[in-house]
């Protein structure tokens, strides 16, 4: 006699088992969720409805790792899952709403570096899962696994910069933060109309439409910020790719890598 499956009951049981297995992760999730809700209430009473939307988006993003873990039967290491949740909170709540991007110049750099590291871990994990799957003839050497992880991370970084550029271009945002510079080099000012760059140094005053900007230099509109973001993403991706390379080279031995590499759970016989 076969037993009928109850999706709601099964999902509820799986969720409870998930909580018991990862108590520390669940407690941190509860704390972050409570903080986001407090910020959301405050923003609502201040009539900052755009920030309210960011809080709702943050609440959704915080639960996605657990949903993916249960639905796709994968095991996210606790350290990895906690860092992802802290990353989301730091980017959306602290960075955007609390304006840490402006208060702390290193905040954006730190998050982009961490993003490169985490994205490389995800890319490495995807290849590692395929390498361990018996049904798929897919086996890469440690070097190529590291290369795939690196390229995956850099691709994510580039796509994100495309997104920032699109938001700034079409919706007049300022996601690509500006940089004050005192020297420019441009062929636009070549008096002959050729391809000879004209270098202008010691720029400390810029006037637009007869109004002094008062910034103490020329306003670069996002190029330096974008290149800096891609460079630190490169650093983060490189660091994890090297860690992942030695993890595979030493047949799964690596104290750091084990905290970030996702594994596929084996199915039970009765499923």
């Amino acid at each position: 006699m076969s037993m009928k499956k109850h999706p709601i009951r099964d999902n509820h049981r799986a969720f409870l088992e998930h909580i018991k297995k990862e108590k520390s992760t669940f407690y941190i999730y509860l704390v972050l969720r409570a903080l986001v809700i407090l910020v959301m209430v405050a923003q609502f009473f201040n009539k900052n409805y755009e920030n309210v939307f960011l809080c709702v988006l943050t609440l959704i993003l915080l639960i996605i790792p657990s949903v993916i873990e249960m639905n796709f039967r994968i095991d996210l290491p606790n350290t990895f899952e906690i860092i992802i949740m802290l990353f989301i909170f730091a980017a959306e709540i602290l960075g955007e709403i609390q304006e840490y991007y402006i208060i702390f110049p290193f905040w954006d750099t730190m998050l982009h570096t961490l993003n490169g590291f985490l994205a490389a871990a995800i890319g490495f994990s995807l290849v590692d899962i395929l390498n361990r799957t018996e049904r798929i003839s897919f086996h890469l050497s440690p070097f190529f696994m590291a290369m795939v992880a690196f390229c995956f991370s850099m691709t994510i970084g580039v796509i994100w910069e495309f997104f920032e550029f699109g938001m700034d271009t079409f919706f007049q945002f300022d996601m690509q933060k500006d940089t004050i510079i005192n020297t420019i080099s441009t062929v636009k000012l070549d008096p002959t109309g050729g391809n000879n760059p004209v270098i202008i140094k010691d720029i400390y005053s810029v006037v637009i439409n007869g109004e002094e900007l008062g910034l103490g230099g020329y306003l670069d509109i996002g190029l330096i910020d974008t290149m800096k973001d891609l460079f630190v993403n490169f650093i983060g991706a490189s660091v994890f790719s090297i860690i992942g390379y030695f993890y595979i080279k030493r047949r799964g031995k690596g104290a750091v890598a084990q905290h970030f590499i996702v594994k596929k759970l084996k199915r039970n016989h009765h499923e």
Side-chain angles (χ1 to χ4, degrees):
M1 182 176 178
S2 61
M3 299 286 292
K4 290 185 177 180
K5 290 186 177 182
H6 300 277
I8 296 178
R9 186 184 303 169
D10 292 342
N11 289 337
H12 180 67
R13 186 184 299 112
F15 181 69
L16 291 178
E17 291 177 355
H18 179 71
I19 293 175
K20 292 179 181 179
K21 181 182 177 183
E22 303 178 0
K23 287 184 178 181
S24 60
T25 304
F26 181 68
Y27 291 147
I28 291 176
Y29 164 75
L30 288 181
V31 172
L32 294 179
R33 183 182 177 87
L35 291 174
V36 173
I37 292 175
L38 289 175
V39 172
M40 182 171 62
V41 172
Q43 295 301 315
F44 179 81
F45 283 111
N46 290 332
K47 297 183 180 180
N48 295 325
Y49 300 118
E50 182 178 335
N51 288 343
V52 172
F53 170 76
L54 280 177
C55 290
V56 173
L57 177 62
T58 303
L59 291 174
I60 295 173
L61 292 175
L62 285 176
I63 202 173
I64 285 180
S66 295
V67 172
I68 293 176
E69 194 170 16
M70 290 186 294
N71 290 341
F72 291 92
R73 297 194 58 79
I74 60 176
D75 179 33
L76 294 177
N78 287 353
T79 302
F80 187 44
E81 192 170 353
I82 289 172
I83 290 179
I84 288 177
M85 291 191 293
L86 292 175
F87 177 87
I88 294 169
F89 184 82
E92 299 298 333
I93 303 302
L94 298 180
E96 293 290 347
I97 297 178
Q98 300 300 322
E99 298 182 345
Y100 276 30
Y101 289 131
I102 298 174
I103 299 173
F104 303 107
F106 64 86
W107 198 258
D108 185 59
T109 300
M110 176 190 69
L111 292 181
H112 275 281
T113 306
L114 184 58
N115 176 75
F117 185 90
L118 296 177
I122 294 172
F124 191 91
S125 298
L126 292 175
V127 180
D128 188 48
I129 289 174
L130 289 176
N131 266 2
R132 295 172 182 270
T133 302
E134 297 178 356
R135 294 178 299 175
I136 302 176
S137 180
F138 190 89
H139 299 283
L140 292 181
S141 67
F143 174 77
F144 278 102
M145 288 183 68
M147 282 298 298
V148 170
F150 174 80
C151 293
F152 180 85
S153 177
M154 291 305 299
T155 300
I156 296 298
V158 170
I159 291 175
W160 178 254
E161 294 303 321
F162 285 167
F163 172 75
E164 286 190 349
F165 175 77
M167 296 300 289
D168 293 350
T169 301
F170 299 109
F171 298 100
Q172 304 301 304
F173 281 30
D174 187 21
M175 298 187 70
Q176 296 173 295
K177 296 296 186 288
D178 306 328
T179 305
I180 306 301
I181 58 177
N182 302 111
T183 301
I184 62 173
S185 177
T186 174
V187 298
K188 287 291 185 181
L189 298 179
D190 182 5
T192 65
N195 195 36
N196 302 307
V198 175
I199 301 174
I200 303 177
K201 299 180 179 180
D202 301 324
I203 302 173
Y204 297 107
S205 176
V206 176
V207 177
I208 296 181
N209 296 330
E211 182 179 351
E212 167 66 44
L213 292 182
L215 297 175
Y218 180 77
L219 189 65
D220 168 77
I221 52 174
L223 174 61
I224 294 177
D225 179 75
T226 297
M227 297 310 298
K228 178 200 67 179
D229 290 346
L230 290 176
F231 179 70
V232 296
N233 192 106
F234 169 87
I235 293 175
S238 299
V239 169
F240 187 85
S241 297
I242 294 172
I243 292 173
Y245 170 83
F246 286 107
Y247 173 78
I248 298 298
K249 195 74 173 176
R250 295 171 181 173
R251 299 184 182 275
K253 295 180 180 180
V256 176
Q258 290 177 358
H259 292 293
F260 294 94
I261 294 180
V262 181
K263 294 181 176 61
K264 183 73 173 176
L265 295 176
K266 294 182 179 179
R267 292 187 175 274
N268 297 326
H269 296 293
H270 62 274
E271 292 183 352

